[in-house]
């Protein structure tokens, strides 16, 4: 199987159910998770409720590293607000990963979909792009997004 990347866009609580399928994918394939944890939909996950970053939990469930991307944009903006590179009002999306190789590939894919990709650091910091943060579904530009990520308040999670 020659696959560069697998993109998971499923309800967050279903991630453990796809782990056996992901286990069959070559280890050099980048796994990108676009999902978000919503307690009312995902039946409350104790580790996340205790403060674990949802992306770290997802990586543990899948048994392999992941990249967090495209989780901070709403469906309407994703479908209609992509723009050519260099557009002044192009939306920027955070991309978090522990591996530079995996982050670079995901960032290139984000750029290919018409959005500026911003390196959001390691997966443990991906909580800064989760629901309820200033970077979540706010359609910020490359100039605005770093401040939104920096001002996210961990105490809220």
């Amino acid at each position: 199987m020659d696959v560069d990347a697998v993109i998971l866009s499923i309800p967050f609580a279903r991630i453990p159910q796809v782990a056996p399928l992901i286990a069959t994918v070559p280890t050099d394939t980048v796994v990108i998770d676009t999902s978000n944890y919503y307690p009312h939909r995902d039946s409350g996950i104790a580790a996340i409720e205790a403060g674990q970053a949802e992306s770290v939990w997802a990586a543990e469930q899948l048994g392999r590293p992941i990249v967090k991307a495209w989780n901070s944009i709403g469906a309407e903006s994703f479908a209609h607000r992509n723009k050519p590179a260099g557009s002044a009002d192009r939306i920027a999306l955070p991309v978090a990963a522990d591996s530079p190789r995996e982050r670079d590939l995901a960032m290139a894919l984000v750029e290919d979909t018409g959005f500026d990709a911003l390196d959001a650091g390691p997966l443990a910091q991906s909580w800064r792009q989760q629901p309820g943060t200033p970077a979540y579904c706010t359609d910020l530009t490359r100039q605005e997004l770093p401040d939104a990520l920096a001002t996210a308040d961990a105490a809220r999670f």
Side-chain angles (χ1 to χ4, degrees), residues 85-101:
S87 298
D89 59 347
R90 191 175 190 203
I91 294 170
L93 301 178
V95 178
D98 293 335
S99 161
R101 181 190 73 80

Side-chain angles (χ1 to χ4, degrees), residues 9-23:
S9 288
I10 61 175
F12 189 76
R14 303 280 192 211
I15 287 174
Q17 294 173 5
V18 300
L21 178 61
I22 295 299

Side-chain angles (χ1 to χ4, degrees), residues 16 19 21 37 44 50 57 61 68-70 83-85 97 101 105 107 126 128 131 136 140 155:
L21 178 61
Y37 171 66
W57 182 89
Q61 302 310 301
K68 189 67 156 195
W70 288 294
K83 302 224 173 175
R101 181 190 73 80
L105 184 130
M107 289 179 68
S126 65
R128 295 180 181 279
Y136 184 73
L140 301 174

Side-chain angles (χ1 to χ4, degrees), residues 14-96:
R14 303 280 192 211
I15 287 174
Q17 294 173 5
V18 300
L21 178 61
I22 295 299
T24 67
V25 175
T27 57
D28 63 340
T29 299
V30 177
V31 177
I32 304 169
D33 175 30
T34 70
S35 63
N36 289 298
Y37 171 66
Y38 295 105
H40 63 279
R41 178 196 66 198
D42 297 319
S43 302
I45 298 171
I48 295 171
E49 295 295 326
Q52 184 178 40
E54 60 186 45
S55 300
V56 173
W57 182 89
E60 288 176 357
Q61 302 310 301
L62 294 173
R64 65 186 297 154
I66 65 166
V67 177
K68 189 67 156 195
W70 288 294
N71 72 301
S72 64
I73 189 168
E76 182 68 21
S77 293
F78 184 74
H80 301 290
R81 302 239 7 242
N82 58 327
K83 302 224 173 175
S87 298
D89 59 347
R90 191 175 190 203
I91 294 170
L93 301 178
V95 178

Side-chain angles (χ1 to χ4, degrees), residues 101-147:
R101 181 190 73 80
E102 293 179 357
R103 183 184 303 111
D104 289 349
L105 184 130
M107 289 179 68
L109 292 173
V110 167
E111 295 277 342
D112 287 349
T113 60
F115 302 97
D116 285 336
L118 182 80
D119 182 343
L123 205 58
Q125 293 296 309
S126 65
W127 62 268
R128 295 180 181 279
Q129 64 199 66
Q130 290 178 188
T133 65
Y136 184 73
C137 292
T138 50
D139 294 349
L140 301 174
T141 64
R142 182 184 300 275
Q143 292 73 35
E144 299 166 323
L145 185 56
D147 285 340

